[in-house]
Coordinates of all heavy atoms in Angstrom, one line a residue:
M30 N 5.5 59.6 20.5 CA 6.6 59.1 21.3 C 7.9 59.2 20.4 O 8.2 58.3 19.6 CB 6.3 57.6 21.6 CG 7.3 57.1 22.7 SD 7.2 58.0 24.2 CE 8.7 57.3 25.1
T31 N 8.6 60.3 20.6 CA 9.8 60.5 19.7 C 11.1 60.5 20.6 O 12.1 60.3 20.0 CB 9.7 61.8 19.0 OG1 9.5 62.9 19.9 CG2 8.5 61.8 18.0
D32 N 11.0 60.7 21.9 CA 12.2 60.8 22.7 C 12.7 59.4 23.1 O 11.9 58.5 23.1 CB 11.9 61.7 23.9 CG 13.1 62.3 24.5 OD1 14.2 62.1 23.8 OD2 13.1 62.9 25.5
I33 N 14.0 59.4 23.4 CA 14.5 58.2 23.9 C 15.1 58.4 25.3 O 15.4 59.6 25.7 CB 15.6 57.6 23.0 CG1 16.8 58.6 22.8 CG2 15.0 57.1 21.7 CD1 17.9 58.0 22.0
A34 N 15.2 57.4 26.1 CA 15.7 57.5 27.5 C 17.2 57.5 27.5 O 17.8 57.0 26.5 CB 15.1 56.4 28.4
C35 N 17.8 57.9 28.6 CA 19.3 57.9 28.7 C 19.8 56.5 28.5 O 20.8 56.3 27.8 CB 19.7 58.5 30.0 SG 19.4 60.3 30.2
N36 N 19.2 55.5 29.1 CA 19.7 54.2 29.0 C 19.6 53.6 27.5 O 20.4 52.8 27.1 CB 19.1 53.2 30.0 CG 17.6 53.1 29.8 OD1 17.0 53.9 29.1 ND2 17.0 52.1 30.3
E37 N 18.6 54.1 26.8 CA 18.5 53.7 25.4 C 19.7 54.3 24.6 O 20.2 53.7 23.7 CB 17.2 54.1 24.8 CG 16.0 53.3 25.3 CD 14.7 53.8 24.6 OE1 14.4 53.4 23.5 OE2 14.0 54.7 25.2
L38 N 19.9 55.6 24.9 CA 21.0 56.3 24.2 C 22.3 55.6 24.4 O 23.1 55.4 23.5 CB 21.1 57.7 24.7 CG 22.1 58.6 24.0 CD1 21.6 60.0 23.7 CD2 23.4 58.7 24.7
V39 N 22.6 55.1 25.7 CA 23.8 54.4 26.0 C 23.9 53.1 25.1 O 25.0 52.8 24.6 CB 23.8 54.0 27.5 CG1 25.0 53.0 27.8 CG2 24.0 55.3 28.3
E40 N 22.7 52.5 24.9 CA 22.7 51.2 24.1 C 23.0 51.6 22.6 O 23.6 50.7 21.9 CB 21.4 50.5 24.2 CG 21.0 50.1 25.6 CD 21.9 49.0 26.1 OE1 22.5 48.3 25.3 OE2 22.1 49.0 27.3
L41 N 22.6 52.7 22.2 CA 22.7 53.1 20.7 C 24.0 53.8 20.4 O 24.3 54.0 19.2 CB 21.5 54.0 20.4 CG 20.2 53.4 20.4 CD1 19.1 54.5 20.2 CD2 20.0 52.3 19.4
V42 N 24.8 54.2 21.4 CA 25.9 55.1 21.1 C 27.0 54.5 20.2 O 27.5 55.2 19.3 CB 26.6 55.5 22.5 CG1 27.4 54.4 23.1 CG2 27.6 56.7 22.2
T43 N 27.2 53.2 20.2 CA 28.2 52.6 19.3 C 27.7 52.6 17.9 O 28.4 53.0 17.0 CB 28.5 51.1 19.7 OG1 27.3 50.4 19.8 CG2 29.3 51.1 21.0
D44 N 26.4 52.3 17.7 CA 25.8 52.4 16.3 C 25.9 53.9 15.8 O 26.1 54.1 14.6 CB 24.3 52.0 16.3 CG 24.2 50.5 16.6 OD1 25.2 49.8 16.3 OD2 23.2 50.0 17.0
Y45 N 25.6 54.8 16.8 CA 25.6 56.2 16.4 C 27.0 56.6 15.9 O 27.2 57.2 14.9 CB 25.3 57.0 17.6 CG 25.3 58.5 17.5 CD1 24.3 59.2 16.9 CD2 26.4 59.3 17.9 CE1 24.3 60.6 16.7 CE2 26.4 60.7 17.8 CZ 25.4 61.3 17.2 OH 25.4 62.7 17.0
M46 N 28.1 56.1 16.7 CA 29.4 56.5 16.3 C 29.9 55.8 15.0 O 30.8 56.3 14.3 CB 30.4 56.2 17.5 CG 30.1 57.2 18.6 SD 31.0 56.9 20.1 CE 32.6 57.2 19.6
E47 N 29.3 54.6 14.8 CA 29.7 53.8 13.6 C 28.9 54.4 12.4 O 29.2 54.0 11.3 CB 29.4 52.4 13.8 CG 30.2 51.7 14.9 CD 31.7 51.5 14.4 OE1 31.9 51.1 13.3 OE2 32.6 51.7 15.2
G48 N 27.9 55.2 12.6 CA 27.1 55.7 11.5 C 26.1 54.7 11.0 O 25.7 54.8 9.9
T49 N 25.8 53.7 11.8 CA 24.9 52.7 11.3 C 23.4 52.8 11.9 O 22.6 51.9 11.7 CB 25.4 51.3 11.7 OG1 25.6 51.2 13.1 CG2 26.8 51.0 11.0
L50 N 23.2 53.9 12.6 CA 21.8 54.1 13.1 C 20.9 54.4 11.9 O 21.3 55.1 11.0 CB 21.8 55.3 14.1 CG 22.0 55.1 15.5 CD1 21.8 56.4 16.3 CD2 21.2 54.0 16.1
A51 N 19.7 53.9 12.0 CA 18.6 54.3 11.0 C 18.4 55.8 11.2 O 18.5 56.3 12.3 CB 17.4 53.5 11.3
P52 N 18.0 56.4 10.1 CA 17.8 57.9 10.1 C 16.8 58.3 11.2 O 17.0 59.3 11.9 CB 17.2 58.2 8.7 CG 17.8 57.1 7.9 CD 17.9 55.9 8.7
A53 N 15.7 57.5 11.4 CA 14.7 57.9 12.4 C 15.4 57.8 13.8 O 15.1 58.7 14.7 CB 13.5 57.0 12.3
E54 N 16.1 56.8 14.1 CA 16.8 56.6 15.4 C 17.8 57.7 15.6 O 18.0 58.2 16.7 CB 17.5 55.2 15.4 CG 16.5 54.1 15.8 CD 17.2 52.8 16.1 OE1 18.1 52.4 15.2 OE2 16.9 52.2 17.1
R55 N 18.5 58.0 14.5 CA 19.6 59.0 14.6 C 18.9 60.4 15.0 O 19.5 61.1 15.8 CB 20.2 59.1 13.2 CG 21.1 60.3 13.0 CD 22.5 60.1 13.4 NE 23.3 61.4 13.4 CZ 24.6 61.4 13.2 NH1 25.3 60.4 13.0 NH2 25.2 62.6 13.2
A56 N 17.8 60.7 14.4 CA 17.1 61.9 14.7 C 16.7 61.9 16.2 O 16.8 63.0 16.8 CB 15.8 62.0 13.8
R57 N 16.2 60.8 16.7 CA 15.8 60.7 18.1 C 17.0 60.9 19.0 O 16.9 61.5 20.1 CB 15.1 59.4 18.4 CG 13.7 59.3 17.7 CD 13.2 57.9 17.7 NE 12.7 57.4 19.0 CZ 12.8 56.2 19.4 NH1 13.4 55.3 18.7 NH2 12.4 55.9 20.6
F58 N 18.1 60.2 18.6 CA 19.4 60.3 19.3 C 19.8 61.8 19.4 O 20.1 62.3 20.5 CB 20.4 59.5 18.6 CG 21.7 59.2 19.4 CD1 21.9 57.9 19.9 CD2 22.7 60.2 19.5 CE1 23.0 57.6 20.6 CE2 23.8 59.9 20.2 CZ 24.0 58.6 20.8
D59 N 19.8 62.5 18.3 CA 20.2 63.9 18.3 C 19.2 64.7 19.1 O 19.7 65.7 19.8 CB 20.3 64.4 16.8 CG 21.5 63.9 16.1 OD1 22.5 63.6 16.8 OD2 21.4 63.8 14.9
A60 N 18.0 64.4 19.0 CA 17.0 65.2 19.8 C 17.2 65.0 21.3 O 17.1 66.0 22.1 CB 15.6 64.7 19.5
H61 N 17.6 63.8 21.7 CA 17.9 63.6 23.1 C 19.2 64.4 23.5 O 19.2 65.0 24.6 CB 18.1 62.1 23.4 CG 18.3 61.8 24.9 ND1 17.3 61.5 25.7 CD2 19.5 61.8 25.6 CE1 17.8 61.3 27.0 NE2 19.1 61.5 26.9
L62 N 20.2 64.4 22.7 CA 21.4 65.1 23.0 C 21.1 66.6 23.1 O 21.8 67.3 24.0 CB 22.5 64.9 21.9 CG 23.1 63.5 21.8 CD1 24.2 63.5 20.8 CD2 23.7 63.1 23.2
S63 N 20.2 67.1 22.4 CA 19.9 68.5 22.5 C 19.3 68.9 23.8 O 19.2 70.1 24.2 CB 19.0 68.9 21.3 OG 17.7 68.4 21.5
E64 N 18.8 67.9 24.5 CA 18.1 68.2 25.8 C 18.8 67.6 27.0 O 18.4 67.8 28.2 CB 16.7 67.6 25.8 CG 15.8 68.1 24.7 CD 14.5 67.4 24.6 OE1 14.4 66.3 25.2 OE2 13.6 67.9 23.9
C65 N 19.9 66.9 26.8 CA 20.5 66.1 27.9 C 22.0 66.3 27.9 O 22.8 65.6 27.3 CB 20.1 64.6 27.8 SG 20.7 63.7 29.2
P66 N 22.5 67.3 28.7 CA 24.0 67.5 28.8 C 24.8 66.3 29.2 O 25.9 66.2 28.8 CB 24.1 68.7 29.8 CG 22.7 69.3 29.8 CD 21.7 68.2 29.5
D67 N 24.2 65.5 30.1 CA 24.9 64.3 30.6 C 25.2 63.4 29.5 O 26.3 62.8 29.4 CB 24.0 63.6 31.6 CG 23.8 64.4 32.9 OD1 24.7 65.2 33.2 OD2 22.8 64.2 33.6
C68 N 24.3 63.2 28.6 CA 24.5 62.3 27.5 C 25.5 62.9 26.4 O 26.2 62.2 25.8 CB 23.2 61.9 26.8 SG 22.3 60.6 27.8
V69 N 25.4 64.2 26.3 CA 26.4 64.9 25.4 C 27.8 64.6 25.9 O 28.7 64.3 25.1 CB 26.1 66.4 25.4 CG1 27.3 67.1 24.7 CG2 24.8 66.7 24.7
E70 N 28.0 64.7 27.2 CA 29.3 64.5 27.8 C 29.7 63.0 27.7 O 30.8 62.7 27.4 CB 29.2 64.9 29.3 CG 30.5 64.6 30.0 CD 31.8 65.3 29.4 OE1 31.6 66.3 28.7 OE2 32.9 64.8 29.7
Y71 N 28.7 62.1 27.8 CA 28.9 60.7 27.6 C 29.4 60.4 26.2 O 30.4 59.7 26.0 CB 27.7 59.9 28.0 CG 27.8 58.4 27.7 CD1 28.6 57.6 28.5 CD2 27.1 57.9 26.6 CE1 28.7 56.3 28.2 CE2 27.3 56.5 26.3 CZ 28.0 55.7 27.1 OH 28.2 54.4 26.8
V72 N 28.7 60.9 25.2 CA 29.1 60.7 23.8 C 30.5 61.3 23.6 O 31.3 60.6 22.9 CB 28.0 61.2 22.9 CG1 28.5 61.2 21.4 CG2 26.7 60.5 23.0
A73 N 30.7 62.4 24.1 CA 32.0 63.1 23.9 C 33.1 62.2 24.5 O 34.2 62.1 23.9 CB 32.0 64.5 24.5
Q74 N 32.9 61.7 25.7 CA 33.9 60.8 26.4 C 34.1 59.6 25.5 O 35.3 59.1 25.4 CB 33.4 60.4 27.8 CG 33.9 61.4 28.8 CD 33.5 60.9 30.2 OE1 33.1 59.8 30.4 NE2 33.5 61.8 31.2
M75 N 33.1 59.0 25.1 CA 33.2 57.8 24.2 C 34.0 58.1 23.0 O 34.9 57.4 22.6 CB 31.8 57.3 23.8 CG 31.1 56.4 24.8 SD 32.0 54.8 25.1 CE 31.5 53.9 23.6
H76 N 33.7 59.3 22.4 CA 34.5 59.7 21.2 C 35.9 59.9 21.5 O 36.8 59.4 20.7 CB 33.8 61.0 20.6 CG 34.5 61.4 19.3 ND1 34.3 60.7 18.1 CD2 35.3 62.4 19.1 CE1 35.0 61.3 17.2 NE2 35.6 62.3 17.7
R77 N 36.2 60.6 22.6 CA 37.6 60.8 23.0 C 38.3 59.5 23.2 O 39.5 59.3 22.8 CB 37.7 61.7 24.2 CG 37.5 63.1 24.0 CD 38.0 64.0 25.1 NE 37.2 63.8 26.3 CZ 36.1 64.5 26.6 NH1 35.7 65.4 25.9 NH2 35.4 64.2 27.7
T78 N 37.7 58.5 23.8 CA 38.3 57.2 24.1 C 38.5 56.5 22.8 O 39.6 55.9 22.6 CB 37.3 56.4 25.0 OG1 37.0 57.2 26.1 CG2 38.0 55.1 25.5
V79 N 37.6 56.5 21.9 CA 37.8 55.8 20.6 C 39.0 56.4 19.9 O 39.8 55.7 19.4 CB 36.5 56.0 19.7 CG1 36.8 55.6 18.3 CG2 35.4 55.1 20.3
V80 N 39.1 57.7 19.9 CA 40.2 58.4 19.2 C 41.5 58.0 19.9 O 42.5 57.7 19.3 CB 40.0 59.9 19.2 CG1 41.3 60.6 18.7 CG2 38.8 60.3 18.3
A81 N 41.5 58.0 21.2 CA 42.7 57.8 22.0 C 43.3 56.4 21.8 O 44.5 56.2 21.7 CB 42.4 58.1 23.5
V82 N 42.4 55.4 21.8 CA 42.9 54.0 21.7 C 42.9 53.5 20.3 O 43.5 52.4 20.0 CB 42.0 53.1 22.6 CG1 42.1 53.5 24.1 CG2 40.6 53.0 22.1
G83 N 42.3 54.2 19.4 CA 42.4 53.8 18.0 C 41.5 52.6 17.6 O 41.8 51.9 16.6
L84 N 40.5 52.3 18.4 CA 39.6 51.2 18.1 C 38.3 51.8 17.6 O 38.0 52.9 17.8 CB 39.3 50.4 19.3 CG 40.5 49.6 19.9 CD1 40.1 48.9 21.2 CD2 41.0 48.5 19.0
S85 N 37.6 51.0 16.8 CA 36.2 51.4 16.5 C 35.3 51.3 17.7 O 35.7 50.7 18.7 CB 35.6 50.5 15.4 OG 35.3 49.2 16.0
A86 N 34.2 52.0 17.7 CA 33.3 52.0 18.8 C 32.8 50.6 19.2 O 32.7 50.2 20.3 CB 32.1 52.9 18.5
V87 N 32.6 49.8 18.1 CA 32.2 48.4 18.4 C 33.2 47.6 19.1 O 33.0 46.9 20.0 CB 31.7 47.7 17.1 CG1 31.5 46.2 17.3 CG2 30.5 48.4 16.5
E88 N 34.5 47.7 18.6 CA 35.6 47.0 19.2 C 35.8 47.5 20.7 O 36.0 46.7 21.6 CB 36.9 47.3 18.5 CG 37.0 46.5 17.1 CD 38.2 47.0 16.3 OE1 38.5 48.2 16.3 OE2 38.8 46.1 15.7
L89 N 35.6 48.8 20.8 CA 35.8 49.4 22.2 C 34.7 48.8 23.1 O 35.1 48.5 24.3 CB 35.6 50.9 22.0 CG 36.0 51.7 23.2 CD1 37.6 51.6 23.4 CD2 35.6 53.2 23.0
E90 N 33.5 48.6 22.7 CA 32.5 48.1 23.6 C 32.8 46.7 24.0 O 32.2 46.3 25.1 CB 31.1 48.2 22.9 CG 30.0 48.2 23.9 CD 28.6 48.4 23.2 OE1 28.3 47.7 22.2 OE2 27.9 49.3 23.7
R91 N 33.6 46.0 23.3 CA 33.9 44.6 23.7 C 35.1 44.6 24.6 O 35.5 43.5 25.1 CB 34.3 43.8 22.4 CG 33.1 43.7 21.5 CD 33.3 42.5 20.5 NE 32.3 42.5 19.4 CZ 32.5 42.8 18.1 NH1 33.7 43.2 17.7 NH2 31.5 42.8 17.3
T92 N 35.7 45.8 24.9 CA 36.9 45.8 25.7 C 36.4 45.8 27.2 O 35.5 46.6 27.6 CB 37.7 47.1 25.5 OG1 38.0 47.2 24.1 CG2 38.9 47.2 26.3
P93 N 36.9 44.9 28.0 CA 36.4 44.7 29.4 C 36.4 46.0 30.2 O 35.4 46.3 30.9 CB 37.3 43.7 30.0 CG 37.8 42.9 28.8 CD 37.9 43.9 27.7
A94 N 37.4 46.8 30.1 CA 37.5 48.1 30.9 C 36.3 49.0 30.5 O 35.7 49.7 31.3 CB 38.8 48.7 30.7
V95 N 36.1 49.0 29.2 CA 35.0 49.9 28.7 C 33.7 49.4 29.0 O 32.8 50.1 29.4 CB 35.2 50.1 27.1 CG1 34.0 50.9 26.6 CG2 36.5 50.8 26.8
T96 N 33.5 48.1 29.0 CA 32.2 47.5 29.4 C 31.9 47.8 30.8 O 30.8 48.2 31.2 CB 32.3 45.9 29.2 OG1 32.7 45.6 27.9 CG2 31.0 45.3 29.5
A97 N 33.0 47.8 31.7 CA 32.8 48.2 33.1 C 32.4 49.6 33.2 O 31.5 50.0 34.0 CB 34.1 47.9 33.8
L98 N 33.0 50.5 32.4 CA 32.7 51.9 32.3 C 31.2 52.1 31.9 O 30.5 52.9 32.6 CB 33.6 52.6 31.4 CG 33.8 54.1 31.5 CD1 34.6 54.4 32.8 CD2 34.5 54.7 30.3
L99 N 30.8 51.4 30.9 CA 29.4 51.5 30.5 C 28.5 51.1 31.6 O 27.4 51.8 31.8 CB 29.2 50.7 29.2 CG 29.8 51.1 27.9 CD1 29.7 50.1 26.9 CD2 29.2 52.4 27.4
Q100 N 28.8 50.1 32.3 CA 28.0 49.6 33.4 C 27.9 50.7 34.5 O 26.8 50.9 35.0 CB 28.5 48.3 34.0 CG 27.6 47.6 34.9 CD 26.2 47.3 34.3 OE1 26.1 46.7 33.2 NE2 25.1 47.8 34.9
V101 N 29.0 51.3 34.8 CA 29.0 52.4 35.8 C 28.1 53.5 35.3 O 27.3 54.0 36.1 CB 30.4 52.9 36.0 CG1 30.4 54.3 36.8 CG2 31.3 51.9 36.7
F102 N 28.1 53.8 34.1 CA 27.3 54.9 33.6 C 25.8 54.5 33.6 O 25.0 55.3 34.0 CB 27.7 55.2 32.1 CG 26.9 56.4 31.5 CD1 27.3 57.7 31.8 CD2 25.8 56.2 30.7 CE1 26.6 58.7 31.2 CE2 25.1 57.2 30.2 CZ 25.5 58.5 30.4
R103 N 25.5 53.3 33.3 CA 24.1 52.8 33.3 C 23.6 52.9 34.8 O 22.5 53.3 35.0 CB 24.0 51.4 32.8 CG 24.1 51.4 31.3 CD 24.3 49.9 30.8 NE 24.5 49.9 29.3 CZ 25.3 49.0 28.7 NH1 25.9 48.1 29.4 NH2 25.4 49.1 27.4
D104 N 24.4 52.4 35.7 CA 24.0 52.4 37.1 C 23.8 53.8 37.6 O 22.8 54.1 38.3 CB 25.1 51.7 38.0 CG 25.2 50.2 37.7 OD1 24.2 49.7 37.1 OD2 26.2 49.6 38.1
W105 N 24.7 54.7 37.2 CA 24.5 56.1 37.6 C 23.3 56.7 37.0 O 22.5 57.4 37.8 CB 25.8 56.9 37.0 CG 25.7 58.3 37.2 CD1 25.6 59.0 38.4 CD2 25.8 59.3 36.2 NE1 25.6 60.4 38.2 CE2 25.7 60.6 36.9 CE3 25.9 59.3 34.8 CZ2 25.8 61.8 36.1 CZ3 25.9 60.5 34.1 CH2 25.9 61.7 34.8
K106 N 23.0 56.4 35.8 CA 21.7 56.9 35.2 C 20.5 56.4 35.9 O 19.5 57.1 36.1 CB 21.7 56.5 33.7 CG 22.5 57.5 32.8 CD 22.0 58.9 32.9 CE 22.7 59.8 31.9 NZ 22.3 61.2 32.2
R107 N 20.6 55.1 36.3 CA 19.4 54.5 37.0 C 19.2 55.2 38.3 O 18.1 55.4 38.7 CB 19.7 53.0 37.1 CG 18.5 52.2 37.5 CD 18.6 50.7 37.1 NE 19.9 50.2 37.3 CZ 20.6 49.5 36.3 NH1 20.0 49.3 35.2 NH2 21.8 49.1 36.6
E108 N 20.3 55.5 39.0 CA 20.2 56.2 40.3 C 19.5 57.6 40.1 O 18.7 58.0 40.9 CB 21.6 56.4 40.9 CG 22.1 55.2 41.7 CD 23.5 55.4 42.2 OE1 23.8 56.5 42.6 OE2 24.3 54.4 42.2
L109 N 20.0 58.3 39.0 CA 19.4 59.6 38.8 C 17.9 59.4 38.5 O 17.1 60.2 39.0 CB 20.0 60.2 37.5 CG 21.4 60.8 37.7 CD1 21.8 61.4 36.4 CD2 21.5 61.7 38.8
A110 N 17.5 58.4 37.8 CA 16.1 58.2 37.4 C 15.2 57.8 38.6 O 14.1 58.2 38.6 CB 16.0 57.0 36.3
T111 N 15.8 57.1 39.5 CA 15.0 56.6 40.7 C 15.1 57.6 41.8 O 14.4 57.5 42.8 CB 15.4 55.2 41.1 OG1 16.8 55.3 41.5 CG2 15.2 54.2 40.1
G112 N 16.0 58.6 41.7 CA 16.2 59.6 42.8 C 17.1 58.9 43.9 O 16.9 59.2 45.1
Ligands
LIG462 ZN1 20.4 61.5 28.5

């Protein structure tokens, strides 16, 4: 069991961007990105947003607008998962 699900990746993205993921988790994160274009785009969007607003990923996640965005993404992923 080495792969992670899209919703797990969403939960880990701030740690990933902060560089605080454990090496094993980081490897699983990268492995998921190599197989999931949707999550690649998600991480890229998060990165662009962090750069644009000048906040750290952790600060960003506490921002209400971003929290809402994350929720939309999670709901969207759940819809994809359930068909
Ligand atoms: Zn994914």
Side-chain angles (χ1 to χ4, degrees):
M30 194 61 189
T31 55
D32 203 5
I33 59 176
C35 291
N36 61 343
E37 288 181 85
L38 185 139
V39 170
E40 299 297 331
L41 294 173
V42 69
T43 51
D44 290 335
Y45 179 81
M46 292 174 66
E47 295 287 318
T49 57
L50 273 186
E54 279 187 313
R55 167 90 190 207
R57 292 165 75 213
F58 194 104
D59 285 335
H61 184 91
L62 288 183
S63 72
E64 301 174 347
C65 186
D67 292 333
C68 284
V69 170
E70 178 58 22
Y71 173 72
V72 172
Q74 269 184 16
M75 279 292 286
H76 183 72
R77 279 197 295 271
T78 307
V79 166
V80 171
V82 301
L84 294 174
S85 74
V87 170
E88 288 171 320
L89 194 68
E90 201 174 48
R91 297 196 188 111
T92 305
V95 175
T96 305
L98 199 72
L99 288 171
Q100 190 57 52
V101 167
F102 184 82
R103 285 167 183 148
D104 290 345
W105 173 60
K106 280 298 186 187
R107 195 155 38 229
E108 278 176 34
L109 285 185
T111 57

